[in-house]
Amino acid sequence: MGEIKLASRMATMKESATLALNARAKQLAAEGKTIHNLTAGELATDTPDYIQAAVAQKLQHNKYTPVAGLMELREAIAQHSREFYGLGWIKAENVVVTAGAKPAIAASLVALLDADDEVIVPTPAWTVSYKPLIELAGGHMVEVPLTAELDLDVQAIEAAITTKTKAIIVNSPNNPTGTVYSTAAVGQLAQALQNKNITVIADDIYTKLVFDEGFSAVPTAGFENLIIINGLSKSQALTGWRIGYLIATTAVAEATTSLLSHITGNAPLPSQYAGLAAMERNDQPPTSTLDDLRRKRLLVSAGLTDAGINFQMPGGAFYFLLDLRDFTDDGAKWCEELLVDAGVALVPGDAFGAPGYARLTFVADDSTLQSALSQIKKFVKGTS
Ligand code: PLP
């Protein structure tokens, strides 16, 4: 075989750091090492029974659907989202069903960006995939740090806006911090973006996993130009089924549909039926999922405090962002040593625009979390 020369755009395209670390932790476990793998960005629970039952009845269906999804599903998502966000403009024609949230983000960026356009990303954030997707669409990511409380820094965002700024990606609850942006800051951002023709891409994939009262989702803030990204990966533990959607103006919905018609075509049909079943229940996660996460959040916060590690209490999703700066100048090296010496896999913050930090996912069972926390404590006491 000759050597196939890759396009220059692939030079900076690396496999998702979170997926790569998950694979490495699994490989070490397969070699017989005891590994507490706290890297994966997915719930540990099985597919909810009601979704399995609904899809099982549809397995005889096997044909292409319209690229933007079954009309009944688009209608169900539109109705649910109108009520959830209180946004009356959302109709079926504004909804495009996709094979997971990732293609929804990718298609939105390709549809929006011209060469060298800028996309502001308040960080820490899921730059793991935002950056390569922005660059694939020909743009540049502009990172703007969150405040010390991990809220949006609207002044800093305003200062970062240039004539090239096309969009800003806002993700709340946030991956990797788990924090929820304040209603006040999101409202100020909506004010600051008035008449600026900048599109807010609200990555709402974790909006159904919120632990405390008083949550107000980003899209409710009254942004003029808005694309909502969502899906069932996190709310219904369906990461492997690949089902998500975007909600936007009809022009954006049509453009992204055209694009996806040449890439994925429609989202997998069984997963669309799963979506229909979920929408009939307002895409509410099982109560046991939320209760479980609330309990584990307390368990982990107590363990981290005991280990002397700084963090902010997450308000949603299933992540803690550990501040390692008291222990090391090199968070990635610290994580590598933690994995090899203590058998605990975390994701270094570098992947999220947060060097000196590490992300811990708290979906594992209680005994794994407890044992991981005690390993982390021993490791910290040995290195600090
Ligand atoms: N957005 C954020 C913030 C995520 O953390 C993830 C997955 O980890 C996604 C989008 C992608 O979701 P999906 O698996 O549905 O493509």
Side-chain angles (χ1 to χ4, degrees), residues 133-152:
L133 292 179
I134 291 166
E135 289 174 356
L136 187 66
H140 302 288
M141 179 174 78
V142 177
E143 293 183 50
V144 176
L146 296 171
T147 64
E149 295 75 36
L150 301 179
D151 205 355
L152 293 173

Side-chain angles (χ1 to χ4, degrees), residues 252-300:
V252 172
E254 283 167 17
T256 48
T257 302
S258 301
L259 179 68
L260 291 167
S261 76
H262 304 296
I263 304 177
T264 53
N266 62 263
L269 179 54
S271 306
Q272 293 195 50
Y273 287 123
L276 263 177
M279 289 303 150
E280 275 167 22
R281 297 185 178 208
N282 278 324
D283 189 20
Q284 257 311 106
T287 330
S288 55
T289 300
L290 283 170
D291 289 348
D292 223 45
L293 289 175
R294 284 195 183 96
R295 204 193 59 258
K296 286 173 180 167
R297 176 175 70 146
L298 293 180
L299 187 157
V300 174

Side-chain angles (χ1 to χ4, degrees), residues 16 18-19 40-42 98-105 125-130 133 169-176 203-206 229-234 238-245 317-319 352 359:
S16 156
T18 45
L19 297 182
E42 60 187 349
T98 53
K102 281 181 190 177
I105 300 169
W126 194 51
T127 49
V128 179
S129 287
Y130 294 151
L133 292 179
I169 303 181
V170 184
N171 170 229
S172 173
N174 175 275
N175 178 7
D203 183 346
D204 263 20
I205 194 81
Y206 295 103
I229 305 291
N230 215 324
L232 307 184
S233 291
K234 316 291 174 171
L238 288 181
T239 37
W241 288 46
R242 311 311 299 138
I243 181 80
Y245 55 90
F318 31 63
Y319 307 113
F352 305 98
R359 189 190 77 176

